[in-house]
Each structure stands twice: as C-alpha cells, then as structure tokens.
Amino acid sequence: MMSNLDKNNSISTIPTNYGALSTLVTVFFFWGFIAAGNSIFIPFCKHYFHLDQFQSQLIDFAFYTAYYIGALALFAYGSFGGKDLIGKWGYKKSIVFGLLFSALGAAAMIIAVNANTFSGMLVGLFIVALGFSLQQTAAQPFAISLGDPSTGTSRVNLGGGINSFGTTIGPIVVALALFSTTTAVTDDQIAALSLSKVIVLYTGVGGLFICAAALFHFAKKVPSGIMEEGTEKANKALYMLIIMTGLLIMMFAPVFNSYKTDMSNATNDEQLAMNAFRMKWLLGALGIVVLGLFYANVSASKKPEGWGAMKYPQLVLGMLAIFVYVGVEVAIGSNLGELLKLDSFGNKQASEATPYIAMYWGSLMIGRWAGAVSAFNLSKTNKMLLQVIVPLIAFGVIVGVNAIAKYDMTPLYYYIVCVFIQIAAFFYSNDKPAKTLMVFGLLGVVSMIIGTQTSGTVATYAFLSGGLCCSIMWPCIFTLSIAGLGKYTTQGSAFLIMMILGGGIIPPIQGKLADVIGIQQSYWVAVICFAYLTFFAIAVKGILKKQGVNYEEATTASGH
C-alpha cells in the first residue's frame, strides 16, 4: 500500500475523493452510536426481564459474536466460490446491503420488544451487528482506497473520529429518547420503562439505516469499488478457522453453563473454585486464538498455497493485534467502574464514576479527531496548528456534553495534561503508521504500569489515558496489516474484522483475574496487550520492507 511511483521514483499523490469520504463516514457514526446505546439496554434488560449480570451481558456477547460470524461467512463464500463477495458487489453496494441488513435487525428488535422476549432482542441485535460486520469489512479498505494509500490511515482515523462522536453522544441520546432526560438513569426508571418507547426508538434507528442506504445508493460521487479479480481458494485458512470456532464453542460452553449455578450462598472457597474453573476455560479460549494464528503463520511460511491472505505474515500478526487491541480497549473501560470503588481511588459509586468512564471513551474521540487532521490537504503550518487545537476542542466537547448531562467534571480538568502528552506523541510520530503504533503502544505500557503502582488522581489519569493510547491504534493496525495484500485485501479485511472477537474474551479474563489478585493489579493484562501491540509495530515494519512495501518512506515522501 504505497503511493504510486513513476520511473524516476518520484511520488505522484492521488487526490482524496472528499465527496465519497463524507458519505462513507456516516456509517462509522452508526457503529459507535448503536454499540454505545447498548449500555442503556443492558441495565434495562437486566431489570425489566429480571436477569442476572451475566445474562444481561449476553447483549454485548451477541453483538460482538456477530462480527466474527459475519466476517467468517464472507470469507467462507470467497473461499468456496473463488470470488470475494464484497469485491463482486463492490464497496458501495456492500455497504448499502449491510445497512439494509441492519435495518432488518432493527425490525426484528421491534418485533421482539413487542413480544416481550429477551432472546428475540438478542437475535435482533445479532442481525444489526451482522450488517455492521458487512459494512466494516467493506468500509475500512474503501476509506483507504479513496485517495493516496499513504494517507489511508488518516481517512480511517476520520471515520474513527466520527465513530467516537457516535459513541460519546449515543448513550445520552438513547437515554433522552427513552427517559426524556439526559441525567443518570436509575433502576426504578428502567423498571418503569414503557416498551412503546423502545419500539419508537428502534423504528427511528431502522429508518436512519434505510435513509443512509438510500444516501449511499444514489450518491453519484461514491465509486462502486468493484474488484474484478478472482480470489484464490484458501481452504487451509477456512478449515483452520472452522476448527478454531468449534474449539472456542467448546471453551465457552462450560463457562456459560457455570452461570446456571446459584452462588449467592457459596463460601469463599467455593467462589474461588468457581472463579478458577471459569478462568481455566477463558484462558483456554485465548490460547486457541493465539495458537491457531501462530500455526497459520508457521504453516503458511512453509507452504503458502491454500492459505490465501494468511500467507502474508503482516496480516496474521495484525489479526492478533486487532484481537488484542479490541480486547484491551473494552477491558480498560469495562473494569473502570469497579476500580473507582476502591478507597484509594476515592470510593466512587456508580453515579460518581460516570464522568470518568465518559472521559475514557471520550479519549478515543480526542485521539481520532487529532489523527483525522491529516486526511485533509492542508499546509504544514495549518496542519500543525490543527493538531494542537482539534484535540483540545474534542476535550471541550466531552466536558461540555457531560456538563449538559449534569455531571461534575471539575476533577477531570487537569486531565488535559494527558491530552498535551498525546499531542506531543502525534508530532513525534509524524503520521508514520508503524512509528505511531509503536509510540502509543509504549505509552500504553507506561501508563498502565503507573496505574498499577500508584493511587489517587495519578493512577486514575493513567488508566483513563489508556483511551488516548488506544484511539489511534485501529487505523494503524488495519492499514499496516493489509498493506501489500493486493487482490487479497478484502479477504484480509474480513479476517481482521473477525478478530473483534477479542472484545468478548480479554475483558472477562481480566474480570476473573481481578477476583484473584484485585481489580487494580488485574490491569497487568492491559500491560501485556500494549506490549504485544508495540512488538507488532516494530515487527511489521521489517516484514513489509522484505516484501518491498516500504510504507514509512512512502508516507514521509508524500509529506505526511
């Protein structure tokens, strides 16, 4: 994935299709908005349907599993049919179909809510996320293709910034729609919720999906993105993934069954035994993913035939990087509420912890907005100026939105120091994907170690800054992983989308570890994750150079 080089090795940049890009980023907003809106439906379902905590978390499990299943199905079609489905439809039509499929999921949600069935709601959310899986598999390489490949990371960053804006305002808008208020929602309010409001909400969401599909379909500036090349069958990769999926089901089944056991009157020893039992199977699931990808990498290096995109080591290592990245991003945020209950962190209850959790997820928006600056043709001076101003504006938006929701943000004003550290890291990274990932990976390692070894405001800010570190990682990993894949690009994209599965494995591992060594020290899981991401950043640069894909030099030469 380099800029086009002429015979004299001078670089001719490809102009960015801003009309198509502005249309494309609308779908990024939906992903963040709906995923964040689940934070409202989880407590709603828990209290309305009288579920335990694990059962309510099935909402997220259904959501993230759909990404894996959807991407696996796309790959299976391409492997057996010999032609990539997204390449056959084109990026544009694939996104339209994905939006319509998500609209179908919204309709299923309406039917399930009307029938008062929790399992039906899970099916509806699963269908919505299946549509998202198709959209994401197409949208990521599509954004990279809408201009010079060397600035592809910045365009994905722009989409990520819009996605994070959806994540930031999603819960507030959903709460406003359901409860006619932007303040924190109580259990009594959830229990008294009228199902008619949920139906109205998802009717509106489904309508927005259809409108977005129409916008894409009729937008003349959006190219079709059809790829005519056939795809080599990758039966070895397919069989490996099918076996891996079967083994994962075997690992998850005992964990799910264990939650049927009533532990309300269990002794400490019984609780510890149950935690050890669950941890064993969760670690087994993690081991299957790691060993499966390691096996694919080793086997493909010896005999690449039949492995498809997996014959490229940057893709296989990138799959594990996406798995780890999504896992650590979700794990840090999911465990913050429990962490802030500690006396050393101010003994904050749920309502008091809300602005801190909001700042963590908002930190993703801060970094992505800053990273999106390079997607525009700006002078060097204006670009440098905006890379300082934009993160500060994003910080102000987060504070302002939460202030409107009547949360006290004064304890977080000094968090702006962390934002300035991120700005400095952006300048040092100089828009080079591998260098950027390495720098932010190292910052993640350092911040998590500081968080585990200190307490109070310093530790709190250190853990929150994990959001700043994660913010820029997805586009860097994605761009580096599909660099040089050629006709295997969309197949590789599907593999990467599968690895969103990390959000369903790593967070519960940290949660169970917290039961053994304490919530604060459980963040050593995050240290290990950031350490791998740093390793990937270093390793992939050398891998790409061996293939003649000098991504860093192309980026520098084109002025980014």
Side-chain angles (χ1 to χ4, degrees):
M1 300 291 294
M2 294 190 301
S3 298
N4 295 330
L5 300 179
D6 63 19
K7 295 180 179 180
N8 295 321
N9 293 324
S10 62
I11 295 181
S12 57
T13 60
I14 303 171
T16 299
N17 186 337
Y18 289 111
L21 184 61
S22 62
T23 306
L24 177 62
V25 295
T26 58
V27 299
F28 283 79
F29 175 84
F30 283 127
W31 305 335
F33 183 88
I34 299 300
N38 286 343
S39 64
I40 298 296
F41 283 101
I42 288 174
F44 159 65
C45 291
K46 179 178 180 180
H47 294 282
Y48 190 87
F49 292 105
H50 307 292
L51 308 173
D52 61 27
Q53 185 62 22
F54 169 73
Q55 289 171 321
S56 69
Q57 293 295 319
L58 288 175
I59 289 176
D60 271 344
F61 180 79
F63 200 78
Y64 286 111
T65 301
Y67 278 96
Y68 177 77
I69 298 299
L72 180 59
L74 284 173
F75 168 57
Y77 176 91
S79 184
F80 285 125
K83 195 163 187 178
D84 177 64
L85 185 61
I86 290 178
K88 177 182 177 181
W89 286 344
Y91 294 137
K92 178 178 179 178
K93 188 177 291 186
S94 297
I95 292 173
V96 170
F97 288 161
L99 286 164
L100 293 176
F101 207 80
S102 293
L104 182 63
M109 275 287 290
I110 293 170
I111 295 172
V113 172
N114 195 49
N116 199 25
T117 167
F118 177 61
S119 59
M121 290 180 67
L122 292 180
V123 172
L125 284 172
F126 183 85
I127 296 172
V128 169
L130 276 179
F132 284 2
S133 177
L134 176 57
Q135 294 166 44
Q136 284 219 30
T137 304
Q140 307 289 342
F142 195 18
I144 294 172
S145 72
L146 291 176
D148 198 303
S150 66
T151 59
T153 299
S154 298
R155 288 187 292 280
V156 177
N157 260 329
L158 177 62
I162 300 299
N163 173 271
S164 292
F165 182 63
T167 301
T168 300
I169 70 170
I172 296 175
V173 173
V174 171
L176 180 62
L178 296 180
F179 306 103
S180 301
T181 178
T182 56
T183 56
V185 179
T186 66
D187 293 347
D188 290 339
Q189 286 177 299
I190 293 172
L193 178 65
S194 171
L195 287 180
S196 62
K197 289 191 174 183
V198 181
I199 294 172
V200 171
L201 174 65
Y202 264 86
T203 299
V205 168
L208 287 175
F209 285 144
I210 294 173
C211 288
L215 176 66
F216 249 88
H217 178 71
F218 294 108
K220 295 182 179 180
K221 292 184 178 180
V222 179
S224 64
I226 293 175
M227 297 176 64
E228 298 293 345
E229 299 96 336
T231 300
E232 175 187 328
K233 291 185 178 181
N235 292 333
K236 291 180 181 177
L238 178 61
Y239 296 149
M240 188 275 291
L241 287 169
I242 291 175
I243 293 172
M244 190 173 80
T245 302
L247 292 173
L248 285 173
I249 292 173
M250 291 173 60
M251 292 294 162
F252 280 126
V255 177
F256 292 153
N257 288 333
S258 73
Y259 279 91
K260 298 177 182 178
T261 305
D262 184 6
M263 299 296 292
S264 58
N265 296 317
T267 64
N268 288 336
D269 288 342
E270 289 173 336
Q271 290 178 356
L272 288 174
M274 180 58 74
N275 287 332
F277 172 80
R278 292 167 179 166
M279 178 66 79
K280 176 180 68 176
W281 291 105
L282 288 170
L283 287 176
L286 176 63
I288 286 170
V289 174
V290 174
L291 292 176
L293 293 177
F294 177 77
Y295 169 78
N297 189 30
V298 172
S299 298
S301 65
K302 295 179 180 178
K303 192 174 181 180
E305 292 80 9
W307 283 102
M310 281 193 182
K311 68 183 178 182
Y312 294 93
Q314 67 266 34
L315 187 276
V316 177
L317 293 178
M319 289 171 68
L320 185 56
I322 288 289
F323 179 90
V324 167
Y325 156 72
V326 175
V328 71
E329 176 188 288
V330 176
I332 293 173
S334 296
N335 288 283
L336 273 178
E338 191 67 23
L339 176 76
L340 295 170
K341 291 180 180 178
L342 297 178
D343 290 337
S344 56
F345 284 82
N347 190 25
K348 299 175 179 66
Q349 298 308 304
S351 59
E352 298 173 302
T354 299
Y356 292 85
I357 296 173
M359 182 58 74
Y360 170 73
W361 291 109
S363 294
L364 295 167
M365 184 178 76
I366 293 172
R368 288 167 181 170
W369 281 20
V373 170
S374 297
F376 301 95
N377 294 324
L378 302 169
S379 67
K380 185 175 181 180
T381 301
N382 288 337
K383 176 185 171 183
M384 292 178 64
L385 187 62
L386 285 176
Q387 283 186 327
V388 175
I389 294 175
V390 168
L392 300 180
I393 292 175
F395 178 76
V397 168
I398 297 164
V399 172
V401 167
N402 284 277
I404 292 173
K406 299 182 180 179
Y407 293 121
D408 180 15
M409 299 298 289
T410 53
L412 289 165
Y413 287 162
Y414 290 107
Y415 184 68
I416 198 170
V417 173
C418 298
V419 177
F420 277 115
I421 292 174
Q422 186 197 51
I423 292 171
F426 267 117
F427 281 114
Y428 178 74
S429 301
N430 196 28
D431 281 342
K432 298 179 179 180
K435 186 176 182 180
T436 299
L437 184 60
M438 181 190 70
V439 169
F440 281 85
L442 287 172
L443 285 175
V445 170
V446 172
S447 63
M448 293 301 106
I449 292 176
I450 291 174
T452 60
Q453 302 304 307
T454 59
S455 61
T457 301
V458 172
T460 301
Y461 282 12
F463 286 130
L464 292 181
S465 67
L468 295 172
C469 297
C470 287
S471 65
I472 202 68
M473 289 184 168
W474 173 279
C476 291
I477 297 169
F478 208 100
T479 305
L480 292 166
S481 298
I482 65 174
L485 264 60
K487 67 179 181 180
Y488 296 102
T489 297
T490 53
Q491 185 183 96
S493 177
F495 286 152
L496 293 171
I497 298 301
M498 287 181 204
M499 292 297 103
I500 291 177
L501 180 67
I505 295 179
I506 292 178
I509 288 178
Q510 181 176 345
K512 293 305 173 188
L513 185 63
D515 292 329
V516 180
I517 64 174
I519 185 65
Q520 184 176 5
Q521 295 308 311
S522 73
Y523 275 84
W524 279 100
V525 170
V527 174
I528 295 172
C529 291
F530 280 125
Y532 174 76
L533 292 168
T534 304
F535 161 77
F536 171 73
I538 296 171
V540 73
K541 185 176 179 179
I543 290 171
L544 293 177
K545 279 189 175 181
K546 287 181 180 179
Q547 297 175 8
V549 185
N550 197 328
Y551 206 90
E552 301 287 50
E553 285 186 7
T555 304
T556 302
S558 59
H560 294 282

